[in-house]
Amino acid sequence: MGSDYKAEADTTIVTDKSLEGLDTDHGYEDTPEFKQDQTGAPVESVSPLGYDVGWLGILFLNVSMMVGTGVFSTPGTILRLTGSVGLSLMYWVIGLPIAAAGLAIYMELACMFPNRSGAEVVYLEQAYPRPKYFFPAAFAVQSVILSFSSSSAIVLGQYLWYAGGVEPTNWQEKGLAVAGMTVILLITLISNKFAMRLSNVIAAAKVVILVFIAITGLVVLGGHTKVEEPRANFHNIWQGTSSNGYNLANALVKINFSFFGSTNAFNVMAEIKKPIKTIKVAAPVSLAIVAVLYNLANVAYLAAIPKAQMASSAELTAALFFKKVFGFSAGARALPALIAVSAFGHLLADMIGGSRVIRECARQGILPYTAFWSSTRPFGTPLAPLLLKWALTCIVIVACPAGDAFNFVVDLQSYPSQRQRQGIRRVEFQVWNVAAVFSILVNIFLLVMPWYPPAGGANGGDVSFWYATYCVVGLGIIAACAGYYAVWAKVLPYFGGYEIRQEVIALENGARAHHLVKVPKGELAEWDATHDEEGNAIETRSVEEKEKADERKSEEGSGVYIA
């Protein structure tokens, strides 16, 4: 986690404290009002990952993350859990204000720290600087453990096999999911610009697919297809409404999953030119587009698929829709293939955003081998975070039972994502208090209600094992985070006779990170006297001494420590 401090170490020091007010065209908009806490990861005045995210990039990163597999895979499950057509449609409607409240909170926080990528990593780090390193350490552990995209990869494999007219075995399904993840890994490793452009193209295709489904649904409702009684599901729409707390909470979890990704672009804030001005417009537009298309798509499904069949369609709701409307024609197989492309785009957008989250955790100095995780060599991409997401996703795909994998992974990753608001500061966008309170209440509901037993008893949930397994696993991860922090930040330093301090290191292409150092207690006074709180060395040498040291370091080809 850090190296031992040696008082006599020959370290090159370069003073660089004038970071405020740099060129805002390149994404840096830090001012005294927005000055971050000094214990946070150091600001990178120039993004080592480039500036390849524009207005369309923000729009499509969010669209591609939201429109992945949820709207094609979860409507049937949500109908089954809610019990009625009316409540099912209402859930899709209320998904918008829930997502909008969360988005508003993110926009306020992003205005405070527009020069930092990683979203929640930064916001938790800055909102809770004490106990020192606790929230960064806890979030880093959670991010590493949950940095997989298995649910979308599983659906990708399912729809590809379905499009080919093949009934796959469990291992064939898993193998295709792993293959898809491997292709995405290679794309994101080679070039940020290419990955972003491909993500934009696929996101545009997703919008076209949803528009096609919506229009097809209107045609079905008009009675112009072979679907019999297209309005049957819209009679007695409240019949069968569930009152089971578990089912209602689980349905809301899946609605959140379908809208999850509305804040994905905040993970790449440091790669956006004029980030505040751009994201304030593009992010809400992306959410509005997706919300309208989601509701139209659900009306289309209900127009074509009988209620009982849709409720039992599991992850293949959209495929069943195509079958009902187009039969077994080539089009019925081509359209599921397009949905597989949509899942691919979701995985690509998640890989882009998620890798920035892991890298930002590393820049805090919390992960071992800080330079390795923070580096952008050799392709100008976050190599180590990308490899980690790929590896963990493949492990979960292989290890999780195929029939339960999708629902369990969705539930686990959604239990729940909490949002905390910073103290009030003067920013360009400030969320309404009612939106913040609404978001908190929704999260409290999602924390409590999943423990309520389903109608079918202990094994009556949406998986074949105990219904609250994902709740226990989620709490176990939180406990693991706290345990990790206690051992790393308290127990080991106590018995090891040292305390943890941080110093700022500079890597290639303007990358900067904290390196946590184990300073023996006998040398703490010297360390604290020669370093400020952020970890910058207090300059004590002459200009001539610095120039000689710089030349020596340059010849050695080693990293430079920034003060």
Side-chain angles (χ1 to χ4, degrees):
M1 193 60 55
S3 60
D4 292 331
Y5 164 61
K6 302 296 183 183
E8 300 300 324
D10 182 16
T11 303
T12 299
I13 308 296
V14 181
T15 301
D16 183 7
K17 292 190 176 183
S18 302
L19 292 176
E20 296 85 352
L22 295 183
D23 187 357
T24 57
D25 283 342
H26 290 153
Y28 197 97
E29 300 181 12
D30 198 15
T31 68
E33 291 82 28
F34 306 138
K35 193 65 177 178
Q36 69 171 33
D37 186 273
Q38 289 187 326
T39 60
V43 171
E44 293 173 324
S45 57
V46 177
S47 171
L49 296 171
Y51 298 96
D52 300 312
V53 185
W55 198 92
L56 284 178
I58 295 170
L59 180 72
F60 286 140
L61 268 177
N62 287 349
V63 168
S64 201
M65 192 68 179
M66 285 185 281
V67 186
T69 58
V71 71
F72 305 120
S73 304
T74 60
T77 302
I78 291 170
L79 177 60
R80 178 178 60 82
L81 292 170
T82 56
S84 69
V85 170
L87 187 57
S88 172
L89 290 175
M90 181 178 290
Y91 262 55
W92 285 99
V93 171
I94 66 175
L96 174 59
I98 291 174
L103 176 62
I105 293 172
Y106 269 62
M107 287 175 63
E108 178 181 318
L109 293 169
C111 287
M112 296 179 186
F113 313 106
N115 51 331
R116 295 280 305 278
S117 292
E120 284 180 317
V121 183
V122 182
Y123 309 151
L124 286 172
E125 166 201 278
Q126 294 298 306
Y128 304 103
R130 301 291 183 274
K132 194 171 185 179
Y133 303 128
F134 175 74
F135 279 96
F139 192 84
V141 173
Q142 176 183 316
S143 298
V144 170
I145 293 176
L146 295 180
S147 61
F148 50 80
S149 308
S150 309
S151 55
S152 296
I154 291 164
V155 173
L156 169 64
Q158 288 176 336
Y159 269 97
L160 284 175
W161 284 117
Y162 187 92
V166 177
E167 186 69 29
T169 66
N170 287 344
W171 286 106
Q172 284 176 325
E173 192 174 282
K174 292 178 178 182
L176 199 54
V178 170
M181 280 302 303
T182 303
V183 172
I184 289 169
L185 171 68
L186 295 176
I187 291 171
T188 49
L189 274 178
I190 293 172
S191 170
N192 285 325
K193 181 177 289 187
F194 177 73
M196 281 298 308
R197 289 180 176 176
L198 181 59
S199 177
N200 292 348
V201 170
I202 295 176
K206 294 182 183 192
V207 173
V208 172
I209 294 170
L210 282 178
V211 169
F212 177 82
I213 291 175
I215 293 174
T216 302
L218 294 177
V219 174
V220 172
L221 282 173
H224 303 297
T225 68
K226 64 179 183 179
V227 175
E228 299 179 358
E229 298 185 59
R231 302 183 185 183
N233 284 336
F234 300 99
H235 302 305
N236 301 319
I237 61 173
W238 301 106
Q239 183 177 358
T241 298
S242 173
S243 59
N244 182 274
Y246 173 86
N247 288 347
L248 297 178
N250 205 304
L252 193 58
V253 165
K254 287 173 173 55
I255 288 291
N256 278 353
F257 173 75
S258 296
F259 281 95
F260 181 77
S262 61
T263 59
N264 189 41
F266 293 87
N267 289 323
V268 295
M269 280 291 290
E271 300 170 50
I272 303 172
K273 293 184 177 181
K274 297 188 181 299
I276 294 177
K277 178 180 179 181
T278 309
I279 208 163
K280 279 170 57 181
V281 177
V285 168
S286 67
L287 178 58
I289 291 173
V290 169
V292 171
L293 292 176
Y294 274 3
N295 283 278
L296 291 175
N298 273 274
V299 170
Y301 295 152
L302 289 164
I305 308 171
K307 177 182 174 182
Q309 290 186 29
M310 182 170 167
S312 60
S313 62
E315 292 85 52
L316 297 174
T317 303
L320 184 58
F321 168 78
F322 295 138
K323 178 181 176 181
K324 290 291 184 181
V325 176
F326 300 103
F328 291 96
S329 65
R333 292 184 178 179
L335 290 171
L338 292 177
I339 294 177
V341 172
S342 176
F344 184 90
H346 172 84
L347 290 166
L348 180 59
D350 182 49
M351 188 72 101
I352 292 171
S355 62
R356 273 58 171 181
V357 171
I358 298 173
R359 181 176 182 271
E360 202 65 21
C361 289
R363 292 204 321 110
Q364 294 171 327
I366 299 302
L367 300 180
Y369 311 108
T370 299
F372 172 70
W373 293 103
S374 304
S375 175
T376 59
R377 290 179 178 174
F379 304 114
T381 57
L383 173 66
L386 289 170
L387 288 173
L388 176 65
K389 279 191 67 66
W390 172 83
L392 286 177
T393 298
C394 293
I395 290 171
V396 173
I397 290 172
V398 173
C400 201
D404 297 322
F406 181 81
N407 284 325
F408 180 72
V409 169
V410 169
D411 295 341
L412 175 61
Q413 290 186 311
S414 305
Y415 183 72
S417 176
Q418 295 289 346
R419 297 182 177 95
Q420 297 289 344
R421 191 180 185 189
Q422 264 251 0
I424 300 298
R425 301 165 75 176
R426 184 169 64 83
V427 292
E428 291 190 34
F429 180 89
Q430 190 164 310
V431 64
W432 291 349
N433 289 333
V434 65
V437 171
F438 177 63
S439 183
I440 292 171
L441 291 176
V442 169
N443 280 305
I444 291 174
F445 177 80
L446 291 174
L447 273 173
V448 175
M449 292 309 295
W451 292 96
Y452 189 87
N459 295 325
D462 59 358
V463 291
S464 61
F465 38 87
W466 185 47
Y467 71 94
T469 299
Y470 75 92
C471 300
V472 174
V473 174
L475 292 177
I477 291 173
I478 295 174
C481 294
Y484 173 82
Y485 173 79
V487 172
W488 165 69
K490 301 298 181 182
V491 176
L492 293 180
Y494 177 81
F495 289 104
Y498 64 86
E499 290 190 14
I500 297 173
R501 293 292 188 269
Q502 62 190 29
E503 58 185 347
V504 186
I505 62 173
L507 305 170
E508 71 287 342
N509 303 326
R512 290 161 55 91
H514 271 146
H515 177 231
L516 300 187
V517 181
K518 301 174 184 177
V519 182
K521 291 185 177 180
E523 300 170 5
L524 282 173
E526 179 184 354
W527 175 276
D528 292 339
T530 56
H531 294 79
D532 63 19
E533 185 180 4
E534 187 180 13
N536 299 306
I538 299 173
E539 189 56 61
T540 57
R541 294 175 295 176
S542 66
V543 174
E544 183 179 352
E545 288 174 327
K546 286 199 302 177
E547 290 176 348
K548 289 181 179 179
D550 289 347
E551 291 175 0
R552 183 168 63 255
K553 277 291 182 182
S554 178
E555 292 173 357
E556 293 173 355
S558 59
V560 180
Y561 287 78
I562 293 282

